[in-house]
């Protein structure tokens, strides 16, 4: 109980507005304070924006969480239009953005547009090199519609593949026979595998995906040697767990990925490699969200976004991803400051050379130049993703956010009353994907609140005090 007490204050009163501890708890304010926060949201310069997770933050299953509507009332006008840039960034991948936006609008009683929704698969729009390849897609929901909406033109679902080759799926005896299909007559090579989310029948998807990988795209063919490297695999949503109506977290797509990786390695003796891992906590998802926030800010007449507040319920994905992106932003800010200082030194040196009439450069200038070259190399590596996927902007001058603040709520995967998922203590959990560095510091939220309302209040008041 002592450890839990440090995370969440037990009293029903209001915590100190500013706590020195980086892990702090905020409680619901009085009605007068809510009015103050509402006024702040209306009149503040709004150089900040929000990234909201959905499951465990706004809803549990299909049930709206208490205080969610009140939280968004602070960010919208009387007509339900947003006054502050906000995105809903979810690792769900079983629906279209417009359907999720409509659902959110009905839940919250506000106007949520398609552009405000980032699904786990949304960044796949930028992977144009795969859009014309024949891709096997796994997941559930309207998969063909989702894939085509993202730009994929040649897709086959696992279910279609199973119907064409019923003898490949040998777990369910009732489905071993299928009607003849013309697909098997020409058997087009599968060129990539796209994993949108957890499927309904895991055993079928596990079997057929591995069949495709070890046959280089011809699952009905015999092989003499297993090819390696295997076909490209792009996976969305790495959540090991997620929160629905059940009292304990449920298996997420991360569990399916773990099963696929283990089976592939057990069968082939080699490690399954991903061409891309998309969705939280992947950095590309936060690049994409940052870009979308800037577009929304422009539409609201704002000059840009300085602070991003990421509100989530999962330390392994929401918090890890927000902190990882904040590291990137801080490194970028520092690198640009050093670059500006180096350029200023070079300019002064050039002026000195011109005034002295000779090519003399000081040793300090030479060191600065070498350092600058190293920083150029690091920055090029750091910003390659931005340059590749957002070619419309200059990565050197594009106005990214300056920092990204993580806020953990206790209404979902993480709960102060249960150590099923922990962020501190003697038994820290490690539910993140194997390809992400184990860094417990990245799982530590900047703030902890009971719910999304307190998280929004915290952010607005911080911005009001900073103005």
């Amino acid at each position: 109980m002592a450890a839990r007490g440090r995370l969440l204050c037990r009293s029903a009163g209001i915590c100190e507005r500013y706590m020195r501890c980086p892990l702090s708890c905020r409680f619901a304010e009085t009605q007068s304070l809510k009015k103050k926060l509402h006024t702040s949201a209306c009149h503040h310069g709004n150089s900040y924006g929000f990234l909201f997770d959905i499951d465990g933050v706004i809803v549990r299953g299909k049930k709206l969480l208490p205080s969610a509507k009140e939280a968004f009332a602070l960010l919208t006008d009387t007509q339900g239009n947003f006054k502050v840039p906000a995105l809903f960034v979810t690792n769900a991948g079983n629906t279209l953005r417009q359907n999720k936006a409509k659902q959110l609008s009905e839940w919250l009683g506000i106007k949520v547009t398609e552009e405000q929704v980032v699904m786990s698969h949304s960044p796949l729009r930028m992977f144009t090199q795969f859009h014309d390849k024949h891709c096997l897609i796994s997941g559930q929901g309207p998969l063909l519609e989702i894939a085509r909406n993202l730009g994929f033109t040649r897709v086959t679902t696992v279910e279609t593949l199973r119907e064409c080759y019923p003898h490949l799926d040998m777990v369910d005896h009732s489905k071993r026979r299928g009607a003849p299909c013309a697909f098997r007559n020409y058997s087009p090579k599968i060129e990539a595998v796209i994993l949108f989310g957890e499927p309904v029948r895991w055993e079928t998807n596990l079997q057929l995906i591995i069949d495709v990988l070890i046959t280089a795209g011809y699952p009905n063919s015999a092989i003499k040697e297993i090819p390696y490297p295997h076909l490209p695999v792009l996976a969305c949503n790495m959540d090991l767990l997620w929160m629905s109506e059940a009292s304990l977290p449920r298996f997420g797509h991360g569990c399916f990925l773990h099963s696929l990786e283990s089976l592939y390695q057990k069968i082939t003796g080699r490690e399954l490699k991903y061409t891309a891992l998309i969705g939280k906590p992947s950095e590309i998802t936060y690049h994409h969200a940052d870009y979308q926030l800037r577009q929304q800010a422009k539409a609201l007449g704002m000059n840009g976004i300085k602070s991003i507040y990421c509100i989530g319920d999962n330390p392994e994905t929401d918090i890890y991803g927000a902190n990882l992106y904040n590291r990137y932003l801080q490194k970028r800010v520092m690198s640009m400051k050093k670059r500006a200082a180096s350029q200023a030194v070079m300019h002064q040196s050039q002026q000195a050379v011109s005034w002295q009439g000779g090519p003399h450069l000081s040793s300090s200038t030479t060191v600065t130049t070498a350092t600058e070259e190293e920083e150029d190399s690091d920055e090029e590596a750091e910003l390659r993703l931005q340059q590749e996927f957002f070619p419309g902007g200059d990565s050197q001058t594009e106005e990214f956010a300056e920092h990204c603040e993580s806020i953990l709520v206790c209404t979902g995967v993480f709960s102060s009353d249960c150590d099923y998922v922990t962020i501190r203590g003697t038994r820290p959990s490690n539910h993140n994907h194997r390809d992400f560095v184990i860094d417990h510091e990245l799982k530590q939220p900047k703030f902890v609140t009971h719910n999304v309302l307190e998280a929004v209040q915290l952010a607005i008041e911080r911005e009001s005090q900073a103005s």
Side-chain angles (χ1 to χ4, degrees):
M1 286 299 296
R4 294 173 188 171
R6 287 195 295 271
L7 290 177
L8 294 171
C9 297
R10 296 192 183 94
S11 68
I14 302 173
C15 295
E16 293 180 8
R17 296 188 177 183
Y18 293 97
M19 299 182 71
R20 296 180 182 271
C21 178
L23 197 60
S24 61
C25 168
R26 302 297 306 274
F27 283 83
E29 305 285 358
T30 60
Q31 287 299 318
S32 61
L33 179 56
K34 290 178 182 178
K35 291 180 181 180
K36 171 187 174 183
L37 296 177
H38 185 75
T39 303
S40 173
C42 292
H43 302 295
H44 186 248
N46 289 348
S47 59
Y48 61 102
F50 292 91
L51 301 184
F52 291 98
D53 184 32
I54 299 176
D55 293 305
V57 174
I58 298 171
V59 295
R60 289 273 294 269
K62 294 184 179 180
K63 184 179 179 181
L64 188 69
L65 286 167
S67 77
K69 279 191 175 182
E70 192 174 355
F72 286 93
L74 294 174
L75 305 178
T76 55
D77 60 23
T78 54
Q79 284 75 45
N81 298 305
F82 276 88
K83 301 172 296 185
V84 179
L87 295 179
F88 298 87
V89 184
T90 175
N91 265 351
N94 60 348
T95 189
L96 298 165
R97 288 194 306 160
Q98 54 265 39
N99 293 342
K100 182 59 72 174
K102 181 180 178 182
Q103 192 177 45
L104 285 165
S105 298
E106 293 172 352
W107 276 334
L108 298 170
I110 58 178
K111 297 177 182 178
V112 179
T113 66
E114 177 182 351
E115 290 72 25
Q116 287 180 280
V117 176
V118 178
M119 307 294 291
S120 64
H121 50 59
S122 294
L124 284 176
R125 293 177 181 275
M126 301 178 288
F127 287 77
T128 54
Q129 66 271 35
F130 292 99
H131 287 179
D132 292 329
K133 293 184 180 296
H134 182 208
C135 298
L136 177 69
I137 54 177
S138 170
Q140 56 182 290
L143 291 176
L144 292 176
E145 191 176 1
I146 291 171
R148 289 166 183 159
N149 185 264
L150 292 168
F152 293 92
T153 58
R154 301 170 58 212
V155 293
T156 297
T157 65
V158 172
E159 183 61 24
T160 297
L161 196 64
R162 189 204 64 79
E163 291 173 356
C164 295
Y165 304 117
H167 59 280
L168 296 180
D169 184 9
M170 301 301 288
V171 175
D172 189 344
H173 292 232
S174 66
K175 294 185 177 181
R176 286 189 179 185
R177 293 182 180 181
C181 177
F183 185 94
R184 71 176 74 185
N185 295 331
Y186 61 92
S187 188
K189 173 183 170 66
I190 292 172
E191 300 170 283
V193 177
I194 312 292
L195 308 176
F196 283 124
E198 64 271 18
V200 176
R201 298 180 65 240
W202 285 28
E203 75 281 357
T204 295
N205 289 59
L206 290 170
Q207 178 70 79
L208 270 63
I209 290 170
I210 290 177
D211 285 342
V212 166
L213 295 178
I214 66 177
T215 61
Y218 296 103
N220 196 40
S221 65
I223 58 171
K224 294 182 179 180
E225 185 178 355
I226 297 176
Y228 198 80
H230 53 70
L231 296 174
V233 178
L234 291 81
C236 311
N237 179 2
M238 293 154 277
D239 279 350
L240 189 77
L241 303 169
W242 69 288
M243 205 67 188
S244 64
E245 295 93 340
S247 58
L248 290 177
R250 302 293 85 193
F251 289 170
H253 193 216
C255 288
F256 178 81
L257 296 180
H258 182 71
S259 300
L260 180 65
E261 295 154 10
S262 298
L263 285 170
Y264 181 84
Q265 186 162 33
K266 192 71 172 178
I267 292 169
T268 68
R270 290 168 170 166
E271 188 176 59
L272 189 146
K273 301 287 188 181
Y274 294 96
T275 302
L277 285 168
I278 304 163
K280 297 177 292 187
S282 176
E283 205 171 328
I284 188 175
T285 295
Y286 290 86
H287 275 278
H288 180 69
D290 192 346
Y291 175 81
Q292 291 294 100
L293 272 182
R294 293 198 303 274
Q295 302 311 304
Q296 193 178 152
K298 290 178 182 177
L300 291 172
M302 296 165 51
N303 293 327
I305 297 290
K306 291 184 179 179
S307 306
I308 299 176
Y309 291 91
C310 298
I311 303 173
D313 70 307
N314 194 335
E316 310 279 354
T317 52
D318 303 314
I319 303 305
Y320 186 106
N323 290 339
L324 183 65
Y325 190 59
N326 186 59
R327 279 188 184 178
Y328 163 78
L329 292 175
Q330 298 305 304
K331 186 173 182 179
R332 184 179 185 277
V333 168
M334 185 64 66
S335 178
M336 294 188 71
K337 287 181 179 178
K338 289 181 178 179
R339 178 184 292 275
S342 297
Q343 290 175 345
V345 171
M346 286 296 296
H347 180 67
Q348 293 175 356
S349 300
Q350 290 170 356
Q351 287 182 326
V353 169
S354 175
W355 180 73
Q356 294 173 5
H360 173 71
L361 288 177
S362 67
S363 58
S364 61
T365 303
T366 304
V367 172
T368 302
T369 304
T371 303
E372 183 181 356
E373 290 175 356
E374 292 174 2
E375 288 169 0
D376 285 345
S377 177
D378 289 342
E379 189 168 307
E380 286 173 5
E382 287 285 332
L383 300 178
R384 189 178 297 117
L385 195 64
Q386 180 74 12
Q387 293 170 335
E388 180 177 356
F389 293 116
F390 304 106
D394 182 355
S395 60
Q396 299 297 330
T397 60
E398 190 77 22
E399 291 190 4
F400 292 70
E402 293 181 2
H403 48 89
C404 185
E405 308 282 12
S406 57
I407 305 178
L408 179 66
V409 298
C410 303
T411 51
V413 169
F414 174 79
S415 171
S416 62
D417 297 325
C418 177
D419 65 354
Y420 200 73
V421 177
T422 63
I423 54 177
R424 282 184 176 177
T426 58
R427 193 197 61 81
S429 59
N430 178 31
H431 296 169
N432 217 327
H433 189 268
R434 56 145 213 222
D435 287 356
F436 284 78
V437 175
I438 299 176
D439 187 338
H440 294 295
E441 184 180 341
L442 288 174
K443 297 196 305 180
Q444 302 299 318
K446 183 70 177 292
F447 303 100
V448 175
T449 65
H450 278 123
N451 53 47
V452 66
L453 172 60
E454 294 172 13
V456 169
Q457 290 175 331
L458 182 151
I460 293 176
E461 185 173 343
R462 278 174 58 84
E463 292 297 319
S464 297
Q465 294 293 335
S467 63

